[in-house]
Amino acid sequence: MRHRGQMIIGVLAATALAGTLTVPAHAQARPVDQRFRCLLDGVVTPPIPGAILTVTGPALTFDGAAGSYVLGGRALRTTDAFRTASVTKTMTAAVALRLAERGDLRLDAPIGRYLDAKLVARIPYGSRITVRQLLNHTAGLYDYVENDEWFQYVLDHPYKMWKPRELVDWALRKGKPYFAPTQGYHYSDTGYVLAGLVIEKAAREPLHRLYRSMLLRPLKMDRTYLEWWEKPRGPRAHNYLGDRDTYDYNPTFDTFGGGGLVSTGTDLNRFMRGLFEGKVFKRPSTLRTMLQITPQSIKAGGPYGLGISRVSVGGETGYGHSGFFGAFQVYIPKKRLAVTGTFTQAQMVAKEKENQFIENALLAALRKATPAPCDRRS
């Protein structure tokens, strides 16, 4: 789930965007650590309750947190998990690609090969849409998240349990396709819910078990789990939407294919390094397939492959994703640099700060100048 029409990573693209070492504000630190500490401490101002930043690269390790776990409560810790929302899309695409490597799923097969015929018949252009188009947002499917009525319904009924088909049904009832398949690019959570259904059918296994067996267990992402479908694996930070504490919201409005994983900065870091350093796919060509950016997304101003965005910052090319609740993950292959973490505020005003925070963190990790006021504080 993205922030209703605007992804953080998309904004960064437009503006040219293993271990742990927590550095307390009072501790003596290396200059680059001071930059990260400064960025964290400087960004936690109302309405942002807390932030986590994890950075790893050659001769570089930082894991820090600032702010509160819950407003008025204890300090936020680097070990606290958080909802990742649309960051999950990269993991979903990775699972689909693993199934393709295994021969259980064909990216260019029509979705009717895997989905119920009655459902496909209800989807505009359903007989023409392929699995690949779901994953790279070129299917043209109406995004239920953009429907104001749906968003308000979620806020008014925070404890409702949503089934994946209900989310698809809402999209089919309330909106029309943006374009015919391949004729454009439009980010769509509807497509990723369908991708989750496709994956389960192709693998004959529940989605949460596939995340676990293909990604989480091999990469030792021990604190990560699919919320609602699996038991919690430790404390989860409170995420806010303005003044609303969404901690107790039933997560099923965003826990199937397009969102739902709960993780930590360290675990997301492990995932991005594993993805790009040969620990996820059996063949290097599979990663190249994932990173193949569609011309439609370039034309739309947000270069996107299969579940992953391409960004640039400081003259370097990176890949990543962001999520509605504030999570982010970016990897710069040339530098073997991973930057991950979260804000705990989903309000739009916080997104603008987060965009700048991620860019500044990447610049600091690249050892390039970060703008004031951080220079004055370090």
Side-chain angles (χ1 to χ4, degrees):
M1 178 177 175
R2 57 183 179 168
H3 195 280
R4 310 199 62 220
Q6 186 176 36
M7 292 191 303
I8 300 168
I9 291 296
V11 175
L12 285 178
T15 59
L17 161 73
T20 61
L21 172 64
T22 302
V23 185
H26 62 272
Q28 187 71 22
R30 297 172 296 167
V32 69
D33 290 338
Q34 292 174 342
R35 289 287 181 90
F36 294 140
R37 186 73 255 170
C38 167
L39 287 169
L40 276 170
D41 290 342
V43 81
V44 179
T45 58
I48 301 168
I52 293 172
L53 176 66
T54 304
V55 182
T56 59
L60 175 61
T61 305
F62 177 86
D63 197 14
S68 302
Y69 167 82
V70 60
L71 284 174
R74 69 164 173 82
L76 186 65
R77 300 166 184 158
T78 58
T79 53
D80 290 328
F82 46 84
R83 287 173 169 165
T84 70
S86 283
V87 164
T88 301
K89 288 181 173 65
T90 310
M91 284 76 153
T92 300
V95 168
L97 287 162
R98 283 289 309 275
L99 292 175
E101 283 187 325
R102 240 168 51 176
D104 292 335
L105 180 122
R106 289 179 52 203
L107 294 177
D108 293 315
I111 58 175
R113 178 168 181 162
Y114 307 101
L115 298 180
D116 176 75
K118 291 183 179 179
L119 172 60
V120 174
R122 293 179 56 216
I123 299 172
Y125 306 108
S127 63
R128 294 168 51 185
I129 294 172
T130 67
V131 178
R132 188 189 301 269
Q133 291 159 11
L134 297 180
L135 298 175
N136 64 21
H137 300 300
T138 62
L141 291 164
Y142 178 71
D143 186 6
Y144 62 86
V145 174
E146 292 189 351
N147 183 265
D148 290 337
E149 186 181 348
W150 176 83
F151 196 78
Q152 189 60 51
Y153 191 91
V154 171
L155 296 179
D156 293 341
H157 303 82
Y159 309 117
K160 172 180 167 54
M161 191 280 198
W162 293 82
K163 296 179 181 179
R165 286 285 291 263
E166 283 185 274
L167 298 170
V168 175
D169 287 342
W170 195 291
L172 297 179
R173 290 197 317 270
K174 300 295 183 177
K176 297 180 180 179
Y178 301 109
F179 45 77
T182 75
Q183 297 307 298
Y185 167 88
H186 198 290
Y187 191 93
S188 178
D189 282 89
T190 308
Y192 265 76
V193 174
L194 290 171
L197 294 171
V198 164
I199 286 168
E200 287 197 336
K201 182 68 173 181
R204 298 182 179 85
E205 261 190 275
L207 191 57
H208 67 276
R209 291 182 185 171
L210 293 165
Y211 288 136
R212 180 79 39 207
S213 64
M214 291 185 165
L215 301 176
L216 307 183
R217 190 176 300 120
L219 295 176
K220 295 181 170 53
M221 296 171 66
D222 298 329
R223 291 294 312 283
T224 304
Y225 62 94
L226 186 60
E227 195 174 6
W228 184 263
W229 308 95
E230 294 182 297
K231 294 180 179 179
R233 292 179 163 237
R236 171 172 58 82
H238 289 241
N239 287 98
Y240 292 84
L241 178 58
D243 294 331
R244 294 172 182 259
D245 184 347
T246 65
Y247 186 87
D248 290 325
Y249 279 31
N250 188 305
T252 52
F253 68 90
D254 186 39
T255 59
F256 196 83
L261 285 172
V262 170
S263 192
T264 64
T266 298
D267 271 10
L268 291 184
N269 215 275
R270 287 188 177 120
F271 171 71
M272 292 303 279
R273 286 186 284 122
L275 182 66
F276 283 89
E277 295 170 16
K279 298 178 181 178
V280 171
F281 302 129
K282 293 185 177 180
R283 297 189 291 271
S285 60
T286 305
L287 179 60
R288 291 195 294 271
T289 296
M290 185 180 214
L291 302 182
Q292 186 175 354
I293 303 300
T294 67
Q296 298 95 321
S297 65
I298 294 174
K299 185 177 180 180
Y304 201 90
L306 299 182
I308 199 164
S309 295
R310 186 179 70 196
V311 298
S312 64
V313 64
E316 302 291 344
T317 297
Y319 297 89
H321 217 294
S322 62
F324 172 79
F325 284 114
F328 58 87
Q329 56 184 19
V330 183
Y331 187 88
I332 298 179
K334 187 177 178 180
K335 300 295 184 180
R336 298 185 65 191
L337 174 68
V339 176
T340 57
T342 196
F343 274 28
T344 56
Q345 175 60 265
Q347 197 174 44
M348 180 56 81
V349 65
K351 299 301 181 185
E352 297 170 2
K353 290 185 178 181
E354 187 175 4
N355 297 336
Q356 193 64 59
F357 174 81
I358 299 170
E359 184 173 9
N360 288 345
L362 286 164
L363 288 170
L366 291 167
R367 291 172 171 79
K368 300 191 178 184
T370 54
C374 196
D375 285 339
R376 294 199 299 267
R377 292 171 56 93
S378 58

